[in-house]
Structures are given as structure tokens and as C-alpha cells.
Amino acid sequence: QVEPDTRNGFCFYSAELNRHAHERLLLEAGLREVLKTDGLALHYQPQIDVATRRVTGVEALLRWWHPVLGNIAPPRFVLLAEQCGLIDQLGDWVLQHACRQLADWRQRGIAIPKIAVNVSPISFRNPELPTTVASLLTTHGLQPDELVLEMTEGVMLDADAATLACIDTLHNRGMRLSIDDFGTGYSSLSYLHRLPICELKLDKSFVHDLEHSDAARALTTSVLRIGESLGMDVVAEGVETEAQFRFLAEHGCQIAQGYLFAKPMPAADLERWLANHVTQCADTTVPALPGP
Ligand code: C2E
Ligand code: MG
Ligand code: MG
Ligand code: MG
């Protein structure tokens, strides 16, 4: 009979835990530091009108490069920020830089109609969010409908009174609300008609499986129908192939976002990409749908 080596098990676990705790401390300190020193960056990914291939807007995605640990995945440092009370500060940084970037594009005549930012469920509980956003828009001379706030389904499902009030105020002030990763939360749909949602973002896991899975196709067409009947745009995220794009186009999806068009990139790269994209759209007597 083999005795479990609890001592070694413990040692291993403890070393692992130590490394983890150490890294976490390093990250937390790094995050506090980087918020003061502006070491974060936003990358921008275009969203494409399926019918015309025009750019309807961009999504801002946060990037953090840590001097010791290198590139940190956004879900990881966003979770960390939520856990250590830095999420509102991080969210404000994102909103501020996104608004400043859009205003800069406006001034330089670069045609990007709107910008979407991801907002943590915790920030939707902050009664100051609408005021923060409104004053940023004023500062940068932007219209409220040029900003899209993306929230995950979780926000809707556990919405407390503070969240509902916040969402109402944002909507009344004309800001656009979008449900990110739609279809991956609980399957309660009742909130959709109660809350002022403009847009659903079909989760990329469905898009990924479109070519191989009947279920993914069925779920995708259902989401498109929900969007249509409730008067909401549907943005498909994670579109990587022409076949996925074609399926989405043929089933009435309005907007596509994904590597097929462009990865998220720094503002200057996006501007170059856009110039090239606009020329391409003008050159080809645009086939609304790509060829087979
Ligand atoms: P998300 O908002 O659902 O963003 C979409 C993610 O899919 C992004 O990952 C994007 O880079 C990636 N993506 C885009 N096109 C494709 C594609 O064609 N194929 C594949 N496989 N992936 C694609 P990223 O930038 O790593 O961000 C991951 C998540 O982190 C975001 O998911 C969002 O939930 C969160 N996040 C990012 N930036 C922020 C932020 O500023 N604030 C908050 N609260 N969360 C953020
Ligand atoms: Mg998003
Ligand atoms: Mg998403
Ligand atoms: Mg996602």
C-alpha cells in the first residue's frame, strides 16, 4: 500500500502558493505604480458594418506590459484590480484615454464614428460613473452616443438598485449600452426588455464554432433574431474566417469584429490600417458579401 506523500505534497503546494502570492504582490504593486505613471496602453480593434464593410467604430482594449512579468492578460489584471479596489481608478483611466483618443481622431478628421469601452460590473455599481462619463464627454466635446459602454451579462443578472439607477442615468444621458459576451452568462433573457440595451455582442465561442457545429449555428441565428426583434444591433466578436463572416452576413448580423479584419492595435497602427481599408473599399466595387 502506498502512503500519500503529504509532506512533499505540502511542500510543493506551499512553494506554488508562495510563487503565486509573490507574483500577486508584484502585480498589485505594479498596478498601483502603473496607474500613476501612465504605463498602460489602449489598443483599438475596428468594428465593421457587414453590409458595406465600413468601420462603425472601435473597441478599446487595455494593455499592460509589466517590466518583470511582461505582458499581462487583461482578464487577469482586471480581476486583480477588482479584488484590490483599483477597478474604478483603472476604469477611469480607460474612459479618459478612450475619450481623448476619439476627440483627437475627430480633430484630425479621421472617420471613426464611435468608441466602445469595457466597464467592470463593479463600476456600474458606482453612482459616480454617469457623472464621470458625462464630464469626460463635455471636456472632449463628444456626443454621448459616440461612446458605447460594454457590460457583461452578469451586470444585468445581479443588478442591485444602485446598478439599475446607474444604467438608467447613463441611458437617459444618451450613452449606448452593450452586452458583451452575450450568450455565455445565465440564460435569463428577461432583463433584455426591461433595460435600455442598444447592442448585443455575440460571444466569440459561438462564432468560432460556426463552421463545425449545428448548435453554434442555431444559437447564433437565435441571438440574431433576438437582436432583430428587440431592435438591437448584433456585433459578432472573434470573426476570423470568410466562412464565418458569410454565415453572419447571410443571417442578418449587422456588425463584425475580429482578426479577419484586424487585431486590436495601437492608435497609430489603426490609423494606417483605416487609410488602407478605406482605399480598398473604394477601389473594389464593393461586393457586399465576399466571394465564395
Ligand atoms: P472582450 O471585451 O470580450 O474583448 C474581446 C477579446 O477578444 C479581446 O481580448 C480581443 O483581443 C479578442 N479578440 C478580438 N478578435 C478576436 C478574434 O478574431 N479571435 C480571437 N480568438 N480573439 C479575438 P483581450 O484584449 O485579451 O481582452 C480580454 C478581455 O479582457 C475582454 O474581453 C474584456 O472582458 C477584458 N478587458 C479588456 N480591456 C478591458 C478594459 O479596459 N476594462 C475592463 N473592465 N475589461 C477589459
Ligand atoms: Mg468587450
Ligand atoms: Mg466580448
Ligand atoms: Mg470575451
Side-chain angles (χ1 to χ4, degrees):
Q1 196 190 333
V2 183
E3 286 289 313
D5 189 345
T6 46
R7 197 184 57 90
N8 273 343
F10 176 75
C11 281
F12 172 73
Y13 181 66
S14 160
E16 185 62 13
L17 202 67
N18 252 326
R19 193 185 57 81
H20 200 79
H22 176 72
E23 202 169 284
R24 203 194 131 100
L25 282 176
L26 203 64
L27 278 179
E28 186 176 333
L31 197 56
R32 285 182 200 282
E33 183 61 25
V34 84
L35 278 164
K36 282 185 273 174
T37 55
D38 251 23
L40 296 164
L42 287 180
H43 283 191
Y44 303 91
Q45 187 178 35
Q47 300 178 323
I48 310 286
D49 183 298
V50 168
T52 63
R53 297 234 177 183
R54 289 220 178 85
V55 172
T56 61
V58 294
E59 177 177 3
L61 293 152
L62 193 53
R63 297 290 178 258
W64 178 26
W65 197 87
H66 186 280
V68 176
L69 301 168
N71 210 29
I72 318 286
R76 182 157 180 224
F77 66 77
V78 166
L79 180 68
L80 180 75
E82 288 173 343
Q83 289 168 344
C84 64
L86 291 171
I87 192 64
D88 282 337
Q89 222 180 312
L90 192 72
D92 285 355
W93 188 96
V94 171
L95 283 164
Q96 193 185 322
H97 284 76
C99 288
R100 188 186 292 169
Q101 183 60 66
L102 189 62
D104 177 63
W105 282 330
R106 279 285 171 291
Q107 269 158 19
R108 293 162 49 220
I110 294 169
I112 292 169
K114 55 187 173 7
I115 200 160
V117 296
N118 295 282
V119 178
S120 157
I122 295 177
S123 301
F124 275 106
R125 241 174 270 147
N126 179 353
E128 276 162 37
L129 180 69
T131 319
T132 306
V133 175
S135 78
L136 276 171
L137 293 171
T138 311
T139 304
H140 294 285
L142 299 169
Q143 297 304 310
D145 64 356
E146 295 175 307
L147 186 67
V148 182
L149 304 176
E150 293 190 5
M151 63 179 94
T152 48
E153 284 176 278
V155 175
M156 296 306 191
L157 297 165
D158 336 309
D160 51 9
T163 304
L164 293 175
C166 191
I167 288 172
D168 263 344
T169 313
L170 289 164
H171 172 70
N172 291 337
R173 293 191 180 178
M175 285 149 236
R176 301 169 57 90
L177 297 165
S178 167
I179 306 288
D180 207 347
D181 304 339
F182 185 74
T184 57
Y186 301 93
S187 53
S188 162
L189 297 174
S190 61
Y191 69 82
L192 281 181
H193 73 93
R194 281 189 283 113
L195 294 166
I197 304 305
C198 297
E199 178 186 281
L200 304 175
K201 294 193 77 176
L202 177 68
D203 191 64
K204 58 176 177 291
S205 59
F206 299 125
V207 176
H208 183 264
D209 293 343
L210 276 181
E211 286 157 74
H212 326 283
S213 150
D214 288 339
R217 283 192 289 273
L219 287 165
T220 296
T221 47
S222 306
V223 170
L224 291 169
R225 237 172 280 137
I226 291 172
E228 192 191 359
S229 46
L230 297 179
M232 298 166 188
D233 282 343
V234 177
V235 180
E237 56 174 37
V239 180
E240 294 183 356
T241 69
E242 286 287 352
Q244 292 164 352
F245 181 80
R246 214 162 28 243
F247 181 90
L248 292 161
E250 279 160 5
H251 290 83
C253 180
Q254 291 91 348
I255 300 164
Q257 180 182 348
Y259 299 164
L260 175 64
F261 300 100
K263 294 202 166 178
M265 31 189 173
D269 294 353
L270 180 83
E271 290 164 23
R272 275 189 289 275
W273 176 89
L274 185 68
N276 188 36
H277 179 77
V278 169
T279 324
Q280 268 182 9
C281 283
D283 279 359
T284 45
T285 27
V286 185
L289 298 180

